[in-house]
Amino acid sequence: MKGQNKLFIAIIIALILGVFMGGLIHLKYPESIEPFSKNIKLLGTVFIRLVQMIIAPLVFTTLVVGIAKISDIKMIGRVGTKAMLWFITASLISLFIGLILVNWLEPGYVTKLPIQEVTTADDLLKSSKSFSMEDFVKHIIPKSLFEAFVTNEVLQIVVFSIMFGVALANLGEEYSKPVVKLFDIIAHGILKMVAYIMWFAPLGVLGAIAAVVATNGFEIFKVYAVYLRDFFFAIAVLWLILLLVGYFILGTAFSSC
């Protein structure tokens, strides 16, 4: 049996075990719900933090290596521009579809969350700083690479990685080759870490689902069912639109060849 199949089976077993443990605590030991949930969900917290830990170095090393290995700077510019335009277009379409569907389907209505006081919302809006172009630029351009790493600002890391990769590509193979080889080795090492961390996923799933079921009972699955229904419907609509846009773009490109 392959490792991926073993991991999948382990996650399913952990999911079932978490539902059983959470349901048992919720039904038989209601006085232990709070301490049990507080402690068991730490497994999920550990897994999430392990994943967050490797995002920044993985993005940095793979981008630098990928860009530095491309000798044609003009091709980097063309590919980067097209990728950025597609990313922005897809993001705007996703946001637009999300706004429409969330107001139509109202997936949060099923949670029956208590409505907060209006005064609290007003205070929050007054204390929140309005978005400006200056804030947008500051969010993209890193003040320090180390600060971007510490705060896990992926967009800032991407900007620095692209600039550093282009600079390495322009240095010439004599200077760039040892640096690229070093980052390539680091990237492979981090990918190996990803494989190790994913084996902690079953424990993360166990902790997260056990805490939720223990706190909310089996009724929580009705909420999840509604969320999943709306999620998959939204994903289907998004992919349909993106595929149509991609078909028209690629179809035009191929017809002009």
Side-chain angles (χ1 to χ4, degrees), residues 38-51:
K38 183 178 180 181
N39 292 322
I40 197 71
K41 72 177 182 181
L42 289 176
L43 293 173
T45 302
V46 170
F47 174 68
I48 294 299
R49 292 184 72 87
L50 286 173
V51 173

Side-chain angles (χ1 to χ4, degrees), residues 5 11 24 58 62 94 98 103 111 121 128 142 174 182 188 197 219:
N5 294 333
I11 291 174
L24 182 65
L58 182 62
T62 52
S94 302
N103 284 282
T111 60
S128 299
E174 180 183 356
L182 172 63
H188 280 82
I197 291 172
E219 294 293 322

Side-chain angles (χ1 to χ4, degrees), residues 86-135:
W86 176 254
F87 173 77
I88 294 174
T89 303
S91 299
L92 291 175
I93 293 174
S94 302
L95 289 171
F96 183 69
I97 294 173
L99 286 172
I100 293 176
L101 293 180
V102 79
N103 284 282
W104 174 40
L105 300 173
E106 296 182 341
Y109 180 76
V110 72
T111 60
K112 304 293 184 181
L113 294 174
I115 300 176
Q116 302 295 327
E117 295 182 6
V118 179
T119 54
T120 306
D122 290 338
D123 294 338
L124 179 62
L125 289 174
K126 290 177 182 178
S127 61
S128 299
K129 186 171 61 175
S130 59
F131 180 80
S132 64
M133 183 58 67
E134 180 182 0
D135 297 326

Side-chain angles (χ1 to χ4, degrees), residues 117-192:
E117 295 182 6
V118 179
T119 54
T120 306
D122 290 338
D123 294 338
L124 179 62
L125 289 174
K126 290 177 182 178
S127 61
S128 299
K129 186 171 61 175
S130 59
F131 180 80
S132 64
M133 183 58 67
E134 180 182 0
D135 297 326
F136 178 71
V137 173
K138 287 181 179 179
H139 186 69
I140 293 179
I141 308 299
K143 182 169 60 176
S144 166
L145 174 64
F146 300 103
E147 182 184 26
F149 265 80
V150 170
T151 56
N152 246 351
E153 288 287 348
V154 177
L155 187 58
Q156 295 183 359
I157 296 171
V158 168
V159 170
F160 182 89
S161 303
I162 293 173
M163 295 179 66
F164 187 57
V166 171
L168 283 177
N170 279 320
L171 280 178
E173 189 173 347
E174 180 183 356
Y175 293 100
S176 64
K177 188 175 181 179
V179 180
V180 173
K181 184 177 181 180
L182 172 63
F183 280 116
D184 195 19
I185 295 172
I186 295 174
H188 280 82
I190 295 172
L191 288 173
K192 196 67 175 178

